[in-house]
Amino acid sequence: MFAKIIRWGGITITALLTLVALLILNLIGLSQRALPDYDGTATVDGVTAPVDIVRDEYAIPHIFAQSDADAAYALGYAHAQDRLWQMELFRRVVQGRLSEIFGAPALPADRVIRTLDMYGHADRSLDDLSPELRSMLDAYARGVNTYIEASDRPLPPEFQMLWHEPEPWQPADSVGLVKLLAAGLSGNAFSEILRTRLMEVLSDEELETFDPPYDTDSKPAIRDMARLYRTLGIERILAAIPDTGPPGASNNWVVDGTWTKSGKPLLANDPHLGMLAPSIWYAAHMSADGANIIGVTIPGIPSIILGRNDHIAWGFTNTGPDTQDLVIEEVNPNTPSQYRTPQGWQDFTTREETIRVRLGEDETLTIRETRNGPVLDSLADTVDDVVKDGHVVALRWTALTSQDTTIEAGYRFTKARSVTEFFDATRLHVSPMQSMVVADTDGNIGMIAPARVPLRGEAHSTGGLLPASGATAADEWQGFVPHAGLPQIINPAHGYIATANNKIIPDDFPYYISSSWDAPYRANRIEEMIEAKRDHDVASFEAILADNKSQLAEKLTPYFTSVEPETDQMAEAQDLLRNWNARMQRDASQPLIFHATLRRLHFSLYADELGDLSDSVSRRRETFILNALSGSDPTAAKWCDDRLTPEPEHCTDAVRKALAAGLNDLNALYGTDMSTWRWGKAHPVINNHLPFGFVPVLRDIFNIERESAGGPYTVNRGQTGSSTDRPFANVHAAGYRAVFDFNDLDNSVFIISTGQSGNPTSPWYDTFATLWADGEHVPMITERSQIEANAIGTLRLMPGADLQQGKF
């Protein structure tokens, strides 16, 4: 009982709580009034014939139209109904216009995006697209804008809470979202920064040990240290950029009929991205003149990104290629408007960008570009600071082009009728590089990793392990890997293909693709389960998708259990680990003990060597740890000694300390009774809403959480984050999963991690969350009569009088 009311800032706690409660009630009311109608008839300007949007029992739209353009129009309409705020936020990111909504705190992000000119490149890329795709982009934009303009419902709650209204959707917005996806799945240039900084504290031998060669204990999908360039000024310019490692992660695999019960191919895919509420993925089915496409879209893009048509199915994983270089450009000390090239001094190209800032002063950027790309002044302290050092940093990246036809390639994937036609469509794919598996109804399977991948000269042949010199001809790109030279295979003799961000090419592959492959644990486990039987079906592929066994845990746990325990609790923890099957199950305590120890071990092995750089190392180095603990690399084993103490330590000492520290962490977080520790409770999947998922009180309304299994090294991947209060939370996982059955394509299944709606008061906001966490799926049906049997509504779009109104 409160004896008295405590005052804070002149406002009583009681009054503050009352105000918060009223705001929440108002938010709920706004959200409920913004819910769209899924049933009825609407007369619209922009379709040439009636279009039906049939919502199945999960609110997935099944669009039945007579033309591709009309189907795209309806998809735009449906996206706007369910995900308008998400679309607005993402396009504002790629436009570099977040500050217009969020004010000065968003300026750093806007500066970077404006510097890269991502939206400008997207807008100019429209000229390189086919008339068919341009027609779809125009129709899609009309569909989005029709809903915005004609709906009698209020805008979604985020718009109302932020006092913001969306501008009309433009075709360039859709192309820009493809650019944004490429940016999210690329980032190897910035690992060059960490490596350059590490060179200041590590010897060449130590650096090679810390970043060891790829673990060869795996089979590539296709089976049939170089010059170190030290630079001036680079450390201070980009010191704040963390080591992110290869962005994105995913699994995909495909088997031919020799591995299945039906004698027909099966294909599975689960791309791993940051978990959002709502999911970045949106399930949809488009039927145009009887031809079906079904799978997942990204709201804002008028096409199925991953899925199937009536002839093929396809799935992606991120390849992690080296398609970026940071280039050090020397500024002319006598004429700062020039930089050095192999041919002499050359003028910077300049342009100005004005960023509007809500409740603040607008900011004008003067952006410089070299022949290698934009100068990253936006990541430096000040322009003067960079020039004073006599050097600037430019970003050379294959995606920074105005002739980007990646969205065209995606459209043509949906039209392909065979593996070879799909391969042919990949000629138009620029970025990001993806390892794509595909199968067709004729029984063929294949894999190709398309993208524009640079060819580097001999002096830079390992491709951007460190920044390049803009004044050195040997560091220039020599063109791109030809399409015929990209990693690819059709109908391998062993009958299956699996990729999981691991090395997909043999050691003698003629072209350099990457040196930053993921460890092979997920790929090895997938292949192990494929080879375990010859009668696979949808259910067995679902089981592989949900598999929680960690091959890394199998390798590391014996080291954790072999050290002499310091306490009774440590001995109890070791007994639990000895009786563990290395599966990251929700109801088990062992995954917590394992990951808490591993987390501490990572840091302790290199903290004394790296000093202040330790916090910049976020990507885990499993091969380095195994080399150290096993003694297979004596140089690595030396890292177990703590240089800050007078007595030499061995790896057993490092493991014992890590286990003790990990247990202390768990005691502080979950109590000292290990019988109450549960991985699922500590490892919930957190689908974060942007931006309210990070705002107290509001996050409880907008975020979607469920207990989850799996971990960073399991097929059912659940990457842990960096939060201090929830260090084991699942923040990066498979937002979409699917299995495609070529014995009966309507027997295929899929799921996304949240629900179709972006409105937290909608019954369709978290529809799939529990099913997803339990490893379940829903049918991927295209037969209209089956869809309508459990439909929650049908919205018919009827053509209006002026079909050209609103055409872009």
Side-chain angles (χ1 to χ4, degrees):
M1 184 179 71
F2 294 102
K4 58 183 178 180
I5 297 174
I6 302 172
R7 291 188 172 273
W8 174 69
I11 303 176
T12 67
I13 294 295
T14 300
L16 183 61
L17 292 175
T18 301
L19 177 61
V20 170
L22 290 173
L23 288 174
I24 292 174
L25 289 173
N26 185 54
L27 167 63
I28 293 172
L30 290 173
S31 299
Q32 289 175 337
R33 291 195 297 274
L35 292 173
D37 288 322
Y38 289 159
D39 201 42
T41 301
T43 301
V44 298
D45 293 322
V47 295
T48 60
V51 181
D52 287 342
I53 306 176
V54 182
R55 296 277 185 162
D56 68 17
E57 59 190 301
Y58 307 106
I60 296 172
H62 297 259
I63 296 167
F64 296 93
Q66 294 184 25
S67 68
D68 285 345
D70 282 357
Y73 179 100
L75 183 63
Y77 195 95
H79 278 166
Q81 283 184 303
D82 291 328
R83 301 287 188 89
L84 188 59
W85 168 250
Q86 185 182 55
M87 294 165 66
E88 174 72 4
L89 182 67
F90 285 174
R91 74 162 164 180
R92 287 271 172 172
V93 173
V94 78
Q95 290 173 342
R97 297 176 61 196
L98 290 173
S99 299
E100 294 179 21
I101 303 177
F102 301 108
L107 271 171
D110 284 348
R111 291 183 190 122
V112 172
I113 295 297
R114 295 290 187 95
T115 296
L116 300 182
D117 195 25
M118 291 182 67
Y119 194 77
H121 285 301
D123 189 38
R124 293 185 290 272
S125 292
L126 290 170
D127 293 337
D128 289 282
L129 305 180
S130 67
E132 294 82 6
L133 181 54
R134 283 300 307 270
S135 175
M136 286 189 67
L137 289 166
D138 289 341
Y140 179 86
R142 289 197 302 273
V144 174
N145 295 329
T146 296
Y147 181 75
I148 295 173
E149 296 163 5
S151 175
D152 60 357
R153 302 285 179 159
L155 289 169
E158 296 92 340
F159 289 97
Q160 300 180 61
M161 296 173 70
L162 294 167
W163 291 75
H164 175 70
E165 291 190 5
E167 297 172 355
W169 192 266
Q170 304 288 347
D173 297 337
S174 297
V175 182
L177 293 189
V178 177
K179 287 282 193 186
L180 184 62
L181 188 63
L185 294 171
S186 306
N188 64 282
F190 300 112
S191 63
E192 300 170 16
I193 300 306
L194 180 70
R195 195 172 180 91
T196 302
R197 298 171 68 202
L198 289 173
M199 290 171 61
E200 303 304 319
V201 296
L202 299 179
S203 67
D204 289 350
E205 182 183 47
E206 288 174 327
L207 185 59
E208 193 70 14
T209 301
F210 190 59
D211 263 338
Y214 183 74
D215 187 346
T216 57
D217 185 24
S218 68
K219 298 187 285 289
I222 298 175
R223 302 176 189 172
D224 300 323
M225 271 297 295
R227 180 176 64 92
L228 300 180
Y229 184 85
R230 296 179 183 270
T231 62
L232 298 174
I234 188 78
E235 180 175 341
R236 181 181 40 70
I237 294 170
L238 295 173
I241 297 177
D243 170 34
T244 58
S250 309
N251 307 308
N252 64 14
W253 64 95
V254 60
V255 302
D256 66 19
T258 64
W259 291 93
T260 67
K261 185 182 299 183
S262 68
K264 302 289 185 179
L266 287 165
L267 185 150
N269 186 206
D270 61 330
H272 308 160
L273 296 169
M275 303 302 280
L276 299 177
S279 169
I280 189 175
W281 302 111
Y282 179 93
H285 165 217
M286 303 166 72
S287 177
D289 196 22
N292 295 292
I293 313 166
I294 186 170
V296 286
T297 65
I298 293 176
I301 300 175
S303 185
I304 300 296
I305 306 296
L306 298 167
R308 72 163 179 89
N309 59 26
D310 295 326
H311 306 278
I312 68 166
W314 64 96
F316 296 173
T317 68
N318 200 34
T319 313
D322 194 342
T323 57
Q324 298 177 335
D325 281 338
L326 289 177
V327 182
I328 308 302
E329 308 280 21
E330 181 184 348
V331 179
N332 189 337
N334 300 316
T335 309
S337 61
Q338 295 181 330
Y339 64 98
R340 186 186 295 278
T341 75
Q343 293 75 37
W345 298 111
Q346 184 172 321
D347 290 337
F348 288 102
T349 300
T350 62
R351 58 185 166 87
E352 287 193 346
E353 293 273 351
T354 299
I355 302 175
R356 292 172 51 205
V357 182
R358 190 175 199 176
L359 301 177
E361 294 185 6
D362 294 352
E363 180 173 290
T364 299
L365 301 178
T366 299
I367 297 165
R368 295 176 292 175
E369 293 196 26
T370 74
R371 65 200 183 98
N372 292 306
V375 174
L376 301 181
D377 289 337
S378 54
L379 296 178
D381 295 333
T382 65
V383 173
D384 290 342
D385 216 15
V386 178
V387 174
K388 181 180 62 178
D389 289 337
H391 293 79
V392 294
V393 183
L395 176 63
R396 184 163 54 195
W397 179 24
T398 55
L400 295 182
T401 174
S402 296
Q403 291 79 47
D404 189 343
T405 52
T406 300
I407 193 170
E408 180 84 44
Y411 169 62
R412 296 196 185 187
F413 295 162
T414 68
K415 297 297 181 184
R417 300 170 66 91
S418 66
V419 169
T420 54
E421 286 187 13
F422 183 93
F423 273 35
D424 189 57
T426 63
R427 296 177 185 276
L428 298 170
H429 187 91
V430 174
S431 181
M433 191 180 202
Q434 299 287 285
S435 300
M436 304 178 180
V437 296
V438 60
D440 64 31
T441 51
D442 289 331
N444 300 300
I445 65 171
M447 190 282 289
I448 185 168
R452 201 173 286 178
V453 181
L455 292 169
R456 295 175 172 87
E458 283 298 319
H460 208 211
S461 60
T462 57
L465 289 177
L466 294 164
S469 168
T472 305
D475 277 354
E476 294 180 349
W477 288 355
Q478 311 297 317
F480 301 99
V481 175
H483 187 268
L486 292 167
Q488 56 190 287
I489 191 169
I490 294 178
N491 295 331
H494 50 283
Y496 68 83
I497 307 165
T499 82
N501 316 110
N502 58 308
K503 187 176 181 180
I504 61 171
I505 53 176
D507 291 339
D508 60 354
F509 194 75
Y511 297 104
Y512 173 75
I513 301 297
S514 177
S515 58
S516 299
W517 310 100
D518 265 17
Y521 304 113
R522 286 180 287 120
N524 286 351
R525 179 62 178 156
I526 291 168
E527 292 195 352
E528 178 183 285
M529 288 186 286
I530 288 174
E531 293 178 350
K533 57 188 297 183
R534 280 279 184 175
D535 59 346
H536 284 288
D537 56 14
V538 170
S540 68
F541 268 38
E542 289 181 290
I544 297 176
L545 284 168
D547 184 73
N548 296 315
K549 186 175 182 178
S550 169
Q551 291 191 340
L552 179 66
E554 280 190 310
K555 292 185 176 185
L556 282 178
T557 299
Y559 295 105
F560 296 174
T561 58
S562 62
V563 298
E564 189 69 25
E566 295 178 344
T567 65
D568 290 343
Q569 188 187 44
M570 186 181 293
E572 183 182 352
Q574 289 176 309
D575 284 341
L576 287 170
L577 291 177
R578 289 188 189 97
N579 296 311
W580 182 40
N581 58 9
R583 295 183 183 274
M584 302 289 165
Q585 303 292 86
R586 286 182 291 192
D587 59 352
S589 60
Q590 291 96 329
L592 261 176
I593 300 169
F594 171 77
H595 278 291
T597 305
L598 181 60
R599 177 170 169 261
R600 283 290 187 169
L601 185 59
H602 267 285
F603 186 77
S604 65
L605 285 184
Y606 53 71
D608 52 324
E609 283 85 0
L610 303 189
D612 293 340
L613 288 179
S614 296
D615 292 337
S616 299
V617 179
S618 59
R619 181 166 63 88
R620 294 181 173 181
R621 288 163 165 77
E622 305 87 359
T623 302
F624 161 68
I625 288 180
L626 284 167
N627 288 347
L629 299 187
S630 68
S632 61
D633 183 344
T635 305
K638 293 178 183 178
W639 290 64
C640 292
D641 177 38
D642 186 347
R643 298 182 183 183
L644 304 180
T645 63
E647 297 297 326
E649 288 95 1
H650 301 287
C651 287
T652 53
D653 301 312
V655 170
R656 187 183 300 107
K657 288 181 179 179
L659 180 56
L663 290 173
N664 286 337
D665 291 339
L666 297 178
N667 288 333
L669 288 167
Y670 311 113
T672 59
D673 184 357
M674 282 194 291
S675 67
T676 66
W677 294 355
R678 294 179 59 256
W679 179 240
K681 184 176 181 180
H683 185 63
V685 60
I686 303 178
N687 296 280
N688 276 305
H689 179 275
L690 299 176
F692 297 141
F694 302 92
V695 179
V697 181
L698 291 182
R699 65 185 170 211
D700 295 331
I701 298 173
F702 283 92
N703 282 355
I704 300 172
E705 295 191 20
R706 296 291 189 277
E707 291 193 6
S708 67
Y713 309 102
T714 60
V715 178
N716 179 23
R717 186 174 182 270
Q719 182 64 52
T720 53
S722 57
S723 169
T724 54
D725 58 333
R726 305 181 80 178
F728 307 104
N730 181 355
V731 298
H732 195 277
Y736 152 75
R737 296 192 298 254
V739 178
F740 301 92
D741 182 1
F742 279 82
N743 187 51
D744 177 4
L745 285 171
D746 266 17
N747 192 45
S748 304
V749 297
F750 66 162
I751 202 162
I752 62 174
S753 59
T754 60
Q756 292 290 97
S757 176
N759 188 320
T761 62
S762 168
W764 317 113
Y765 186 62
D766 62 353
T767 320
F768 301 120
T770 300
L771 293 172
W772 180 93
D774 291 340
E776 298 181 18
H777 303 85
V778 300
M780 191 181 291
I781 297 171
T782 59
E783 174 58 44
R784 182 163 184 169
S785 61
Q786 294 184 51
I787 297 164
E788 290 180 332
N790 296 301
I792 62 171
T794 297
L795 179 64
R796 171 159 291 187
L797 304 179
M798 297 294 294
D802 183 2
L803 300 182
Q804 298 302 312
Q805 180 176 330
K807 184 174 182 179
F808 296 96

